[in-house]
Amino acid sequence: MPKYYEDKEEDGRACGGVREDLRQCLLESPCVLQENKSPKQCLREGHCRSLQMTFFACKRSMVSLCSVFSSARGL
C-alpha cells in the first residue's frame, strides 16, 4: 500500500511518491533486514514487485507524455 506522510520531505522528481514507497518497501523487506542483501539485489529477486511495476508504469507514462509533446511541436 502506498504511504503518504504530511511531514514527509517533498520529492520534486517524477513519480517521487511511488519511488519513496518502493525504497521503503525494499529497506523494510526480510531480504534486506534478515538476509543482509542489498536493496538492488532484493529488487532483482522479485521483492516489492507490485510497487516496482507501478513505478515502471509511472515512468513509462512520463516518456509517453514527452513524446506526445515533442511530436506536437513538429506540426
Side-chain angles (χ1 to χ4, degrees):
M1 285 296 262
K3 299 176 183 175
Y4 297 99
Y5 304 102
E6 291 179 11
D7 297 332
K8 190 165 99 172
E9 187 175 314
E10 192 78 21
D11 186 0
R13 295 181 290 184
C15 310
V18 179
R19 180 191 315 263
E20 178 64 24
D21 290 344
L22 178 58
R23 184 174 93 53
Q24 278 303 117
C25 178
L26 287 168
L27 291 176
E28 294 172 0
S29 71
C31 180
V32 171
L33 295 175
Q34 295 170 356
E35 298 174 24
N36 294 321
K37 295 180 182 177
S38 71
K40 188 174 186 176
Q41 187 175 1
C42 294
L43 189 63
R44 286 185 186 145
E45 292 177 4
H47 294 273
C48 305
R49 180 61 99 194
S50 62
L51 282 171
Q52 182 184 14
M53 297 304 288
T54 303
F55 181 64
F56 174 76
C58 180
K59 294 296 274 187
R60 186 175 179 188
S61 71
M62 296 303 292
V63 171
S64 297
L65 189 60
C66 289
S67 65
V68 168
F69 285 123
S70 65
S71 65
R73 286 186 195 173
L75 293 177

